[in-house]
Amino acid sequence: MRVPPFVEVAGPEDARWVIICDHARNRVPPEVAGGDLGLPADDMARHIAFDPGSEGVTRALATALRAPAILSTFSRLVIDPNRGEDDPTLLMRLYDGTIIPANRHADPTERERRLELFHRPYHGAVWRVLNQHPDAMLVSIHSFTPQLRGRPPRPWHVGVLYAEDTRLAEPLLHVLEAQDDLCVGDNKPYSGHLPGDTMDRHGVKTGRPHVLIEVRNDLISTPEQQEAWGLRLAGILTQAAALMAAD
């Protein structure tokens, strides 16, 4: 039986939040290169294939906030759901120094096939859940590696990514920066402005309050750490929402 390209966690009709996780798993479906991109297991366990720890954080956060969640079930190396369909990094051939053998000669036909099988169904599910909760705020959970090859170490424990809509990002940053034990990245380790990405598609262009949260993956390497971060972020987001409402 074919595994769907997403998994859905149900939430109540009156949920105030919708949680999504673009890079939850490193699975390569059998429809793509027979389920093997030609990379060793060590590479498939790295951040190049998925966001380690992000699924556990997403599930814990959704439970704590009583929110529905949508999580991808395919590796970002199959096709990246956090990229627009015309983005040149949609189907990566080289990532953080690693060549992706099964992607090296992928042509436009193969790209379109993967879009149809995985990328579009995932975003269709996100659209559907968001339409069921028109007043909910959108939170996307990601993780980042402590250091890219040949680059300086990244000091941040958590990052808040956003583009021009800062309704949720600003109060979230305020609450996070008040935490004595956290080094917080403001649009770090990446900029939150990437036209066509998930938050642009489902947040910016629809006018829905939204934010993308990045957690450094060495902090969420165990189920216990993922649970703890999910609970912590739930409290922080609740405080941020209260600040939004007070403005």
Side-chain angles (χ1 to χ4, degrees):
M1 181 180 295
R2 182 172 179 266
V3 176
F6 62 88
V7 61
E8 181 175 344
V9 177
E13 291 183 6
D14 62 348
R16 297 181 62 199
W17 307 89
V18 171
I19 317 299
I20 61 173
C21 188
D22 295 329
H23 302 145
R25 300 182 184 177
N26 60 354
R27 176 177 169 270
V28 180
E31 297 93 337
V32 176
D36 186 351
L37 294 175
L39 291 174
D42 286 351
D43 273 331
M44 288 303 298
R46 294 204 301 130
H47 69 99
I48 65 171
F50 73 129
D51 284 356
S54 62
E55 177 169 4
V57 174
T58 298
R59 289 182 178 275
L61 178 61
T63 297
L65 291 177
R66 298 181 65 249
I70 299 292
L71 305 94
S72 70
T73 62
F74 54 94
S75 171
R76 68 195 302 171
L77 296 178
V78 169
I79 197 158
D80 195 333
N82 194 33
R83 295 293 185 272
E85 292 195 11
D86 59 351
D87 192 302
T89 63
L90 176 71
L91 202 161
M92 293 291 281
R93 292 170 170 79
L94 174 70
Y95 193 178
D96 195 22
T98 296
I99 294 172
I100 320 304
N103 290 351
R104 288 186 66 185
H105 304 295
D107 60 14
T109 299
E110 176 62 11
R111 177 178 170 279
E112 175 64 23
R113 190 179 74 90
R114 295 190 198 183
L115 280 167
E116 192 65 23
L117 283 173
F118 309 110
H119 192 282
R120 290 170 185 153
Y122 170 75
H123 284 286
V126 175
W127 275 118
R128 175 175 50 78
V129 172
L130 288 173
N131 287 337
Q132 291 168 353
H133 301 85
D135 298 321
M137 291 180 281
L138 175 61
V139 177
S140 181
I141 297 296
H142 288 249
S143 73
F144 65 97
T145 186
Q147 185 173 13
L148 292 169
R149 289 177 174 173
R151 304 285 185 88
R154 291 160 156 179
W156 312 285
H157 300 110
V158 60
V160 176
L161 276 58
Y162 56 93
E164 60 266 24
D165 184 347
T166 62
R167 287 174 293 172
L168 180 53
E170 282 190 357
L172 178 58
L173 280 165
H174 178 79
V175 177
L176 282 168
E177 288 168 350
Q179 311 282 309
D180 292 337
D181 61 333
L182 293 181
C183 179
V184 180
D186 183 344
N187 258 336
K188 302 290 184 182
Y190 316 103
S191 167
H193 184 66
L194 184 62
D197 71 359
T198 299
M199 302 310 278
D200 182 62
R201 178 185 299 211
H202 298 291
V204 174
K205 290 180 178 175
T206 66
R208 183 186 296 266
H210 62 280
V211 73
L212 189 154
I213 298 174
E214 291 263 7
V215 183
R216 206 175 68 203
N217 65 29
D218 61 320
L219 304 177
I220 50 174
S221 60
T222 69
E224 293 77 16
Q225 291 174 322
Q226 294 158 23
E227 179 76 16
W229 267 94
L231 292 173
R232 184 174 189 177
L233 288 174
I236 288 169
L237 283 164
T238 299
Q239 292 179 60
L243 289 176
M244 272 185 68
D247 283 347

